[in-house]
Amino acid sequence: MTDRGMGRGAWKVLALAVLMAAIPAHAGDAAAGRQKAIQCQACHGLDGLARIPQAPQLAGQNAVYLEKALKEYRSGARKDEMMSVVAKGLSDQDIRDLAAYYQSIEIVVKPPR
């Protein structure tokens, strides 16, 4: 079948399959991630709002990005003295849960007065 012959329905199925492939097979548990985030709160805050200038804000961050970053710290592909030590102690499920938790935090921005 050529591209011209492929109906709209087939394209929709193909697009859905591509999107589904991008979604992690096992999503994290945000409630479990909140409990695990207690170890992160000194730098990143339990609410994901960093307490020290060197630490990034995690609240509202994309879970896929956070998972990738944590796995890279764990493997040594990303370098940071503190994060590498912390990430080495995290399982894949811990990482998914933490990522889901930080992504779930809603950020509210108020205009300046």
Side-chain angles (χ1 to χ4, degrees):
M1 181 179 282
T2 66
D3 285 348
R4 277 188 190 271
M6 189 178 262
R8 283 184 184 250
W11 280 112
K12 288 179 182 177
V13 170
L14 179 61
L16 181 60
V18 170
L19 288 174
M20 293 301 290
I23 298 173
H26 302 285
D29 178 343
R34 185 178 196 287
Q35 293 301 312
K36 295 171 185 178
I38 291 171
Q39 67 179 328
C40 310
Q41 70 182 341
C43 298
H44 298 288
L46 189 57
D47 57 2
L49 301 175
R51 302 301 188 243
I52 60 175
Q54 303 89 335
Q57 308 293 341
L58 300 181
Q61 189 67 259
N62 180 278
V64 173
Y65 169 78
L66 290 173
E67 284 185 44
K68 181 179 184 304
L70 285 169
K71 287 179 179 179
E72 288 175 352
Y73 283 124
R74 186 175 66 186
S75 73
R78 265 193 196 196
K79 309 285 186 209
D80 180 86
E81 189 175 341
M82 177 62 76
M83 285 305 304
S84 296
V85 170
V86 171
K88 282 184 180 168
L90 299 175
S91 69
D92 285 348
Q93 188 62 52
D94 292 336
I95 289 173
R96 285 191 295 269
D97 293 345
L98 286 164
Y101 169 64
Y102 284 117
Q103 178 177 285
S104 75
I105 300 171
E106 185 176 331
I107 301 299
V108 178
V109 179
K110 295 180 182 179
R113 293 182 178 222

